[in-house]
Amino acid sequence: MQHASDIFRGNQKVVLAGCFTGDARDQAWELSATNAQPNPLLNCSAEEADTRIWLHVCQSCGTRKLVCSPDTDVFHICLPIVSTQHDVYVQISTLTTPDARFLHLNLLHTALAGDPDLASTPTSQLPKILQMAFICTGCDYISFFSGLGKATFLRVLFQQSSFINANTNDYPETLADTDTDQLHAEFLAFIRLVGTAYFKKHISAFKYETYELCTRNHS
């Protein structure tokens, strides 16, 4: 903040947040070559910078946004809120890596909507489903499943989406059902996801007829 006037040129600006203490703990300060002042629109009480980033993305001016973070938590947080109003790229390689790698979140949305394995699931729910699958199979605050990684769960989610996220009378709810007052919301879909993953891993313990019947009913 003390050296902003020496660094910036013209209309360049930077926002600092999450690095203050005391009364300014939740404040965000906007710095330019001539001014430094708090920006109330960007104030946030979230403790994790992963969450604060997306508040800045949504509230900052312009339509094309670049987020620099190799942490996979970062782009999963934003999956359900990326819209056509923002063109968002996430640099998923470290800043010191010579060959930078980027993830275009808008194209990821398009790819999900066009995936034939997910055709039975409403397009509007796909980003939230992918986000919840990432969270409930292990993240910063949730334990991981022994012997099953995220890649395995994602394969199961895509291959058996019509069963896991059916939302029918026989197979109610989806992983996206988090905005509800029902205590069991999304739990049954979660059980179907985990159960299918473990069933596939230990398939040799079942008779072939049992596997054939389950695959035919749930594929």
Side-chain angles (χ1 to χ4, degrees), residues 61-77:
C61 61
T63 57
R64 179 166 293 183
K65 314 295 177 70
L66 172 62
V67 176
C68 299
S69 175
D71 190 345
T72 54
D73 286 0
V74 170
F75 64 81
H76 277 91
I77 289 173

Side-chain angles (χ1 to χ4, degrees), residues 138-189:
C139 65
D140 287 349
Y141 302 102
I142 298 176
S143 299
F144 292 83
F145 286 86
S146 177
L148 289 175
K150 289 191 178 296
T152 300
F153 279 109
L154 283 177
R155 281 195 298 270
V156 170
L157 178 68
F158 276 67
Q159 294 169 358
Q160 304 293 335
S161 182
S162 59
F163 167 54
I164 296 169
N165 296 294
N167 197 23
T168 63
N169 290 333
D170 293 331
Y171 310 118
E173 305 170 2
T174 73
L175 289 174
D177 294 333
T178 58
D179 300 325
T180 176
D181 295 331
Q182 298 181 12
L183 294 177
H184 59 79
E186 79 167 324
F187 179 69
L188 295 180

Side-chain angles (χ1 to χ4, degrees), residues 1-7 16 31 36:
M1 293 178 68
Q2 295 175 353
H3 300 286
S5 59
D6 300 327
I7 300 173
L16 296 181
L31 311 179

